[in-house]
Structures are given as structure tokens and as C-alpha cells.
Amino acid sequence: QVQLTESGGGLVQSGGSLRLSCATSGVFNYYAMAWYRQFPGKERELVARITPVGGTNYADSVKGRFTISRDNVGLTAYLQMNSLKPEDTAVYYCYIRANNNNVYWGQGTQVTVAS
């Protein structure tokens, strides 16, 4: 059974930093891991994506502020978020596309940035 467990969300002041973690179990190989976020009443949007060899891409709104990384041994993904803004407030979801092409999501973690 595949499980993704996020941690690290919370409340932070504008300009502050948070680091999200996504621990996986039941997955051994993957095409990509990613972080998405969802604003109230909106669709989930891609924040950052990383491949097993370290290729990354980011939403324009977070470039230069957020960094995605991964540990291929433990299949854990991280999202370092710096210079946070109130408009980054959202629920953040971890995503993995496994080598069998199945997609799995975490339960989400709330990030709130106070102005």
C-alpha cells in the first residue's frame, strides 16, 4: 500500500521560511515527485517538480524562493520555502508518479503566512 505523509506546515510571518517534507512508503521507483498547492475554491496548481536525476521545474510565482529536493534512498521529497508571502497561504500536497504510472497524493498540509 502506497502512503505519502507530509509534515512541516504551519503558521509563519511574512518573509519567514518553512520546510515541508513528504515521506513515502510502498513506492520504489518513480518518474517524478512534486508539490502542489490549492487555494480555497481553486484547482490544485503545480508548485515544484523533481525527477529522479534531479531535474526541476517551478511555478513562476515561487522561482527564486522555493527549492524542491529529494532523497532517492528513502524516497522523501522536500520543499524549502523562503521569503514567504501571504499569497502563498494554501494547502500543500505531495505527489508522486510511480514507475507503474500510478499517481499518489498526500493528505495535504496547511501553510499559513501572516502579513
Side-chain angles (χ1 to χ4, degrees):
Q1 184 177 356
V2 176
Q3 283 191 309
L4 277 65
T5 304
E6 298 120 336
S7 60
L11 173 64
V12 66
Q13 293 294 315
S14 181
S17 298
L18 283 174
R19 188 189 194 214
L20 304 183
S21 298
C22 174
T24 69
S25 62
V27 180
F28 302 100
N29 294 290
Y30 67 103
Y31 285 120
M33 297 184 76
W35 289 94
Y36 284 71
R37 64 186 179 186
Q38 188 167 23
F39 304 110
K42 302 284 189 179
E43 299 281 324
R44 285 182 196 180
E45 62 178 38
L46 178 68
V47 176
R49 177 182 177 273
I50 191 166
T51 66
V53 296
T56 59
N57 58 285
Y58 295 89
D60 287 343
S61 59
V62 307
K63 281 180 183 175
R65 300 188 298 123
F66 290 11
T67 303
I68 188 171
S69 60
R70 84 281 180 256
D71 168 8
N72 277 341
V73 174
L75 279 188
T76 301
Y78 305 96
L79 186 68
Q80 178 66 42
M81 304 185 294
N82 298 329
S83 302
L84 281 160
K85 305 174 183 180
E87 51 264 43
D88 294 317
T89 296
V91 178
Y92 285 70
Y93 293 90
C94 180
Y95 158 108
I96 188 167
R97 183 181 170 209
N99 270 16
N100 61 7
N101 256 342
N102 287 345
V103 170
Y104 304 96
W105 294 91
Q107 79 285 358
T109 185
Q110 176 70 45
V111 170
T112 302
V113 184
S115 56

